[in-house]
Amino acid sequence: MTSRPHASTKPPRRAAVKPRKTLRELFLHRLPHYNGPYNVGYMDIEVPVREPRPVSNLKRNGKPVLRLDTILMGVYYPCDLQSHDGAEKPHRVDWMPRPRAATAKGYAKYLHIPALPVTAYLACTSLFTKLPAFRNAKLAAHWPEDTRNDDGPTGQKAREEEEDPTSRPRFPVIIFSHGLGGSRLCYSSICGELASYGFVVVAIEHRDGSGARTYVSLPSNVEAAAIESSTAELHTNNDGQERAGDKKVQRQRKKGLNPYYVMDYILPKDNAQDTSPHNRRGVDHTLRSAQIELRQEEVKEAFYVLEVLNSGRGSDIASLNLRRKGNIGSSSMGLNGVEWEDWKNRMFLDKVTMMGHSFGGVTTVQICRDDSLTWLGQGIILDAWGQATPSGGETLKERITKPIISISSEVFMHWKENFDKVVEFSNEARDSGTLCWMLTVVGSTHLAMTDLAVLYPQWMSILMKSMVDPLRAVSLTTTASLEFLKIILPPEQTKYSMWADEKLLQSAEPPSEPEESLRSDYAPDHKWVAVRLKIPNEFTVRLRVWIRRTWRFLICAGREVADLNGGLHDYGLKDEIWTHMCPTHEAVEEHVNQFR
């Protein structure tokens, strides 16, 4: 059995409190509410790293290309809105990173499109979209309601612990790495969904030139003129064009404002299309390896920040935070209202999960090869850009020794060279004796795991021929991830979980060779490999689907009909997931038994 039939698409119980729709959301694109038992809080943290420095030996025009100056991360976490009764409710979070118009121009530059039409289109669709998450909300201090109401020993234990005023739940941690053109906010559907099930998810915004545009604030005691880089352009915090050594910058510092620099997407030297499968020169491994090196250092810095928060010294982080009122890219709230005492000993900082999409999947592979990270437990790899993944070494220190799950899009699985690289690092993990799953979400394209697919489903369907409902693609991704973590994490981190479970990982044994589980029904023509799928007889198929969905809509009196067609666009797909590789049931039992 190489594929899995449709599972029930009935959503799990939603959080008790839903964000109200804003006036703009009645007309603009919006993100759906999260499905877990918790509401979701969010905070932006940017602090100086412990040792600011250039990273890697990569230089252009005699200057270093990459620098590590600060670490910027968005923290999604379970929150308690009930504690805000009678007080002002926390504000919701903008989906487009601030400054929004300037960030939109960064996306236009990344896409090689004139800035004005891109900014105008985003302004009419999603420039003002809000996350269903609340800024600086109180960290949840309760167990899920369904757990407390359970009549069994688990529910009884949860009620006893909650009645103890000194006992509060602790949450597992996930560190998330974005792909090319990404940011800390453009995977909010996945990060927020995981947070709603009781995880603290730390989404790093990388400063390695892989994002469309990011703003790096600098501490007031840093001589900005000493920042030497071939890619960073220094500005004052009023978005002027003054150089860092000018007198105006000094006046800004006296006002308590900090200079900053802008890091835009870095094009590979003499090879602008290194991401294309048709690129004859191949991947620019010199640049990509340097970026991975910087990303690894950023992950270490992010974990250090978590250690400080968990030790009860959150106020130290708040005092260093550069995302505060008046600084570039900041909310006027900064970290105001966060009760740092609530964060003391509230996270499990052992068996931390590394997770990433595309180039972030490559980052996850490399992080899982680093045996020096004793706090790292496992990795979740989403649609890895296999061509940029360095090969593992012969020694165990250069190989994946952590349990991993690789969840890919169908469009990348039809890219043979990429498929072979995913098989390669999956076998690397399996050969080291650890658990490994390799899955494909049928009918999906590369952006199916991002917010873009949720916000612009019509474009994903028309341009990329995506055949899976975007919300279902997110659901399959998060549910498979939760099932993986339920197996891998120790019981103390999962004992009160109310996680979605559709038995996606409990499939029959996959074929002896991963390639045998692939089907070519929707394989694209060669020129569209890795970009889009192919729908045979597309006009007829789309017309038939439209008639069927319209009829269902009418007989259901306008109710949502996604459940009636399994969450798919109903293009004749019979399976939701292909399983290419998975451990034996005995191996899974052996792993679970080690905690007993």
Side-chain angles (χ1 to χ4, degrees):
M1 185 92 174
T2 61
S3 56
R4 184 186 174 280
H6 276 275
S8 169
T9 58
K10 182 180 179 180
R13 178 182 177 275
R14 290 187 181 274
V17 181
K18 299 178 184 178
R20 293 181 179 178
K21 295 178 183 177
T22 64
L23 182 61
R24 283 173 174 157
E25 284 181 315
L26 297 177
F27 307 98
L28 304 181
H29 294 194
R30 63 178 183 268
L31 294 164
H33 301 307
Y34 304 125
N35 290 307
Y38 287 108
N39 287 105
V40 176
Y42 176 91
M43 57 184 175
D44 270 333
I45 296 177
E46 182 178 14
V47 294
V49 299
R50 290 167 289 179
E51 185 185 347
R53 63 194 184 278
V55 174
S56 88
N57 296 321
L58 183 64
K59 293 186 177 182
R60 289 185 182 175
N61 302 320
K63 296 181 179 180
V65 176
L66 302 178
R67 289 193 54 86
L68 179 64
D69 290 302
T70 69
I71 176 68
L72 171 61
M73 54 195 198
V75 184
Y76 303 78
Y77 58 91
C79 78
D80 181 9
L81 289 184
Q82 304 298 336
S83 63
H84 291 272
D85 286 348
E88 183 184 358
K89 289 288 193 298
H91 297 279
R92 289 175 59 189
V93 181
D94 293 323
W95 176 73
M96 181 69 74
R98 293 171 179 254
R100 289 174 291 199
T103 300
K105 293 177 181 177
Y107 276 106
K109 181 179 178 181
Y110 168 68
L111 296 170
H112 304 288
I113 300 174
L116 181 59
V118 171
T119 305
Y121 182 70
L122 290 174
C124 294
T125 55
S126 60
L127 197 66
F128 301 99
T129 292
K130 301 282 188 180
L131 269 63
F134 300 90
R135 190 177 293 277
N136 302 350
K138 183 179 178 63
L139 182 66
H142 63 279
W143 285 261
E145 181 179 341
D146 287 353
T147 299
R148 301 196 306 269
N149 294 338
D150 184 79
D151 294 331
T154 299
Q156 181 179 350
K157 183 67 174 176
R159 290 190 293 272
E160 291 175 357
E161 290 193 20
E162 191 160 63
E163 290 173 0
D164 183 353
T166 64
S167 177
R168 295 178 297 177
R170 297 172 68 193
F171 302 110
V173 172
I174 297 173
I175 298 178
F176 193 95
S177 174
H178 65 72
L180 298 182
S183 71
R184 67 193 186 280
L185 289 163
C186 69
Y187 294 87
S188 70
S189 296
I190 287 178
C191 294
E193 185 76 356
L194 292 170
S196 76
Y197 282 103
F199 285 86
V200 174
V201 184
V202 178
I204 299 174
E205 184 156 302
H206 294 294
R207 272 52 187 283
D208 62 339
S210 65
R213 173 166 290 181
T214 185
Y215 289 81
V216 183
S217 295
L218 295 170
S220 57
N221 62 350
V222 169
E223 285 298 329
I227 301 295
E228 186 181 35
S229 172
S230 64
T231 54
E233 183 178 357
L234 290 151
H235 302 273
T236 63
N237 237 351
N238 63 351
D239 210 21
Q241 298 296 320
E242 293 79 15
R243 292 294 176 180
D246 289 352
K247 292 182 180 179
K248 191 168 184 177
V249 177
Q250 304 302 325
R251 292 198 297 270
Q252 292 285 86
R253 287 180 176 178
K254 290 180 181 179
K255 294 179 182 179
L257 304 179
N258 299 318
Y260 67 93
Y261 64 84
V262 182
M263 176 63 77
D264 283 347
Y265 185 79
I266 299 175
L267 288 171
K269 190 175 183 180
D270 302 323
N271 187 16
Q273 298 296 322
D274 80 329
T275 59
S276 171
H278 306 300
N279 176 27
R280 295 181 179 180
R281 296 184 181 181
V283 174
D284 185 346
H285 284 290
T286 302
L287 171 62
R288 301 309 181 192
S289 295
Q291 290 175 317
I292 292 172
E293 182 180 347
L294 175 54
R295 283 167 166 245
Q296 289 177 284
E297 294 304 312
E298 288 176 316
V299 169
K300 295 174 185 177
E301 290 294 328
F303 181 76
Y304 172 73
V305 172
L306 294 178
E307 285 186 310
V308 175
L309 293 180
N310 210 46
S311 68
R313 293 182 290 127
S315 57
D316 293 348
I317 297 299
S319 66
L320 295 172
N321 184 46
L322 298 168
R323 293 280 158 156
R324 60 175 183 263
K325 184 177 181 179
N327 282 2
I328 188 72
S330 303
S331 162
S332 60
M333 292 182 63
L335 291 174
N336 295 338
V338 179
E339 299 179 21
W340 296 112
E341 183 62 28
D342 290 342
W343 286 83
K344 185 175 182 179
N345 296 325
R346 298 298 303 282
M347 293 178 282
F348 290 105
L349 293 185
D350 59 318
K351 301 295 183 182
V352 171
T353 303
M354 187 68 207
M355 185 177 192
H357 174 255
S358 192
F359 197 44
V362 176
T363 306
T364 301
V365 170
Q366 287 300 98
I367 289 289
C368 288
R369 286 172 172 159
D370 191 345
D371 277 353
S372 68
L373 304 179
T374 56
W375 46 266
L376 182 70
Q378 52 281 322
I380 300 175
I381 302 161
L382 305 181
D383 219 16
W385 178 23
Q387 300 301 95
T389 308
S391 298
E394 295 298 326
T395 66
L396 283 178
K397 289 187 177 181
E398 298 172 332
R399 294 168 57 193
I400 298 175
T401 57
K402 312 291 186 182
I404 63 169
I405 182 171
S406 173
I407 308 172
S408 299
S409 69
E410 183 177 351
V411 75
F412 260 35
M413 289 297 93
H414 290 306
W415 180 7
K416 187 180 186 310
E417 293 80 6
N418 197 83
F419 182 84
D420 291 344
K421 289 294 292 187
V422 177
V423 171
E424 180 182 305
F425 67 67
S426 297
N427 278 328
E428 180 184 324
R430 189 164 63 172
D431 292 345
S432 70
T434 191
L435 301 184
C436 172
W437 284 263
M438 181 179 169
L439 312 174
T440 291
V441 178
V442 181
S444 62
T445 55
H446 187 56
L447 295 179
M449 299 172 184
T450 72
D451 289 347
L452 292 175
V454 177
L455 292 170
Y456 300 99
Q458 293 83 6
W459 289 121
M460 295 300 108
S461 177
I462 294 171
L463 297 180
M464 299 182 180
K465 313 302 179 188
S466 178
M467 291 177 281
V468 62
D469 183 276
L471 296 181
R472 183 58 180 158
V474 169
S475 176
L476 288 169
T477 301
T478 54
T479 301
S481 300
L482 290 169
E483 292 179 18
F484 167 75
L485 293 174
K486 187 66 175 290
I487 293 170
I488 299 301
L489 290 175
E492 64 174 350
Q493 298 193 31
T494 65
K495 61 182 179 180
Y496 297 139
S497 68
M498 295 300 298
W499 301 350
D501 189 347
E502 295 185 20
K503 314 299 182 185
L504 298 176
L505 302 189
Q506 297 182 13
S507 61
E509 291 293 331
S512 57
E513 295 296 333
E515 294 84 354
E516 295 177 7
S517 54
L518 280 174
R519 297 180 184 176
S520 58
D521 299 4
Y522 304 101
D525 297 332
H526 180 67
K527 67 177 181 178
W528 295 115
V529 167
V531 177
R532 71 185 196 185
L533 298 170
K534 183 178 182 179
I535 306 175
N537 304 312
E538 183 175 355
F539 176 78
T540 304
V541 171
R542 285 187 182 275
L543 179 61
R544 186 166 56 247
V545 170
W546 179 82
I547 293 173
R548 182 161 52 246
R549 289 175 64 85
T550 302
W551 174 248
R552 288 173 176 171
F553 182 83
L554 291 174
I555 64 174
C556 291
R559 294 194 312 257
E560 183 61 49
V561 296
D563 287 350
L564 294 177
N565 51 21
L568 295 171
H569 285 308
D570 208 6
Y571 292 126
L573 296 173
K574 297 180 181 179
D575 306 305
E576 290 190 287
I577 283 183
W578 291 330
T579 301
H580 310 293
M581 190 181 300
C582 70
T584 64
H585 297 298
E586 292 75 17
V588 172
E589 282 297 318
E590 182 179 352
H591 177 87
V592 173
N593 288 336
Q594 70 175 315
F595 297 118
R596 293 175 179 171

